[in-house]
Amino acid sequence: MDDMIELDSLDRRILAVLQKQGRISFDELGGQVGLSASAALRRVRRMEDAGVIAGYAALVSARRVGLSLTAYINVRLEKHSGRGKRTPMDDFAAELATWDEVVECVSLSGDMDFLLKVVVADMDHYTRFVMETLLKHPSVQDCKTSFVMRPLKSGVSVV
Amino acid sequence: MDDMIELDSLDRRILAVLQKQGRISFDELGGQVGLSASAALRRVRRMEDAGVIAGYAALVSARRVGLSLTAYINVRLEKHSGRGKRTPMDDFAAELATWDEVVECVSLSGDMDFLLKVVVADMDHYTRFVMETLLKHPSVQDCKTSFVMRPLKSGVSVV
DNA sequence: AATGAAACGTTAAGATC
DNA sequence: GATCTTAACGTTTCATT
């Protein structure tokens, strides 16, 4: 399951194409990298099986579905006070999954514990989320927000 | 070009499916949301044309291609010293596009100007990138890094 | 040379659009 | 009906013996 796989330059070109055009046909894909459809298919299947390609996704424009505000929130947790045997981090992680506003969350080195990426309709919704959901959570000590003013580069295809 | 489009609950269910299974057939997609293949296709094409679906992408596992270190870097730019009529921000944004290590970059409110998401093979590569590329750029004043210790939620399909 | 593995292209039947 | 997917089959290449 954890086997490293060798990727040659053709594999990498295939990945580059699929990251831009995830629903391209194997015929076209092969054409772009200089292979037949079946050869392209074989290589893609191999990378899927090896977990190099984790899956495929439609990219949804946040704006076009009415979500025009993006923010990053640094969160610091309480050091103690986990419920029962669970740590504050466990409690937080469990509830996180139920918050639709959070599209990305990583645990960090440094003074802050988590970085959340949050996408919402407007400032109103954002304020409600922070006040009535995030800060009300018993594991959360405090947080600090930076709002996204302009996206310069969006990397969506590395997981 | 900027027309808001009305999405009903069926459209939203279709989007949810396509965000998880971007290469699903329309037959299966229709089955999951209770539509025929052609009805599902019509709705998907409509959302593609409206820009709601910005595209499709294969999701590549960073680990499996040997990129096991992820970091977020807050960058502060020089306030002046743009070359010619261009601002430091223009200079920075232009060069950014050529840095493969940066998979995401947004301009932020607050004391820092940018947040970069960086994915590299190891700490060695990371150090080289910061010392020999990022900090050498004339627009960059200073930066501060947080390393990702554990990804809890990865949102890849909102753009 | 002979052998086997790996990767390619062609073909054709079935699935999908 | 046209395009796309996918498995079967034969060919080429190349490293090993």
Side-chain angles (χ1 to χ4, degrees):
Chain A
M1 188 60 96
D2 221 44
D3 10 275
M4 253 314 167
I5 191 179
E6 282 299 317
L7 299 183
D8 62 16
S9 74
L10 262 170
D11 290 322
R12 278 186 282 270
R13 284 170 61 196
I14 286 175
L15 286 183
V17 172
L18 285 178
Q19 284 178 311
K20 295 261 174 213
Q21 303 171 259
R23 253 190 114 110
I24 194 176
S25 74
F26 288 103
D27 208 27
E28 241 191 282
L29 173 61
Q32 289 198 27
V33 301
L35 286 178
S36 69
S38 66
L41 169 66
R42 264 193 303 267
R43 280 171 177 267
V44 169
R45 288 283 174 271
R46 176 164 158 272
M47 291 192 282
E48 287 171 357
D49 293 343
V52 170
I53 297 175
Y56 300 87
L59 308 177
V60 174
S61 163
R63 291 230 171 138
R64 295 293 168 91
V65 296
L67 303 172
S68 50
L69 179 62
T70 299
Y72 286 88
I73 310 182
N74 276 101
V75 175
R76 180 165 22 218
L77 298 188
E78 302 285 350
K79 291 308 163 196
H80 307 292
S81 91
R83 303 163 178 175
K85 280 188 180 177
R86 303 201 306 277
T87 65
M89 179 151 152
D90 292 334
D91 289 336
F92 182 75
E95 200 130 348
L96 179 71
T98 71
W99 296 338
D100 287 342
E101 294 89 346
V102 179
V103 299
E104 194 167 344
C105 174
V106 294
S107 114
L108 292 183
S109 69
D111 55 334
M112 291 307 225
D113 294 309
F114 290 99
L115 180 64
L116 312 187
K117 182 176 181 177
V118 169
V119 178
V120 292
D122 49 34
M123 188 59 77
D124 210 60
H125 190 148
Y126 165 78
T127 308
R128 268 205 315 281
F129 171 71
V130 170
M131 297 301 175
E132 295 171 21
T133 303
L134 187 60
L135 289 178
K136 286 251 172 83
H137 192 281
S139 296
V140 173
Q141 187 176 113
D142 66 332
C143 72
K144 186 187 162 197
T145 296
S146 297
F147 294 105
V148 171
M149 316 194 58
R150 181 153 79 110
L152 292 191
K153 191 172 187 174
S154 62
V156 289
S157 42
V158 176
V159 132
Chain B
M1 188 62 93
D2 222 42
D3 12 278
M4 252 314 166
I5 190 179
E6 282 300 318
L7 298 183
D8 62 17
S9 74
L10 262 170
D11 290 322
R12 278 186 283 270
R13 284 169 61 197
I14 287 175
L15 287 183
V17 172
L18 285 179
Q19 284 178 311
K20 295 262 174 215
Q21 303 170 258
R23 259 192 107 111
I24 195 175
S25 75
F26 288 102
D27 205 27
E28 243 191 279
L29 173 61
Q32 290 196 27
V33 301
L35 287 177
S36 71
S38 65
L41 170 63
R42 247 193 320 273
R43 282 172 177 266
V44 169
R45 289 279 177 271
R46 178 165 159 271
M47 291 192 282
E48 287 171 357
D49 293 343
V52 170
I53 296 175
Y56 301 87
L59 308 177
V60 175
S61 163
R63 291 235 169 134
R64 293 297 169 90
V65 296
L67 303 173
S68 49
L69 180 62
T70 300
Y72 286 88
I73 310 181
N74 276 101
V75 175
R76 180 167 20 220
L77 297 189
E78 303 285 351
K79 291 310 165 198
H80 308 291
S81 89
R83 302 163 179 177
K85 280 188 179 177
R86 303 202 305 278
T87 65
M89 179 150 151
D90 292 334
D91 288 335
F92 183 75
E95 199 129 350
L96 179 70
T98 71
W99 295 338
D100 287 342
E101 293 89 348
V102 178
V103 298
E104 194 167 343
C105 175
V106 293
S107 114
L108 293 182
S109 70
D111 55 334
M112 290 307 225
D113 295 308
F114 290 99
L115 179 65
L116 314 187
K117 182 176 181 177
V118 169
V119 178
V120 293
D122 49 33
M123 187 61 77
D124 210 61
H125 190 147
Y126 165 78
T127 308
R128 268 205 314 281
F129 171 70
V130 171
M131 297 301 174
E132 296 172 19
T133 304
L134 187 59
L135 290 179
K136 286 253 173 81
H137 192 281
S139 297
V140 173
Q141 188 176 113
D142 65 334
C143 73
K144 186 187 160 196
T145 296
S146 298
F147 294 104
V148 171
M149 316 194 56
R150 182 153 79 110
L152 293 191
K153 192 172 187 174
S154 62
V156 290
S157 41
V158 177
V159 129

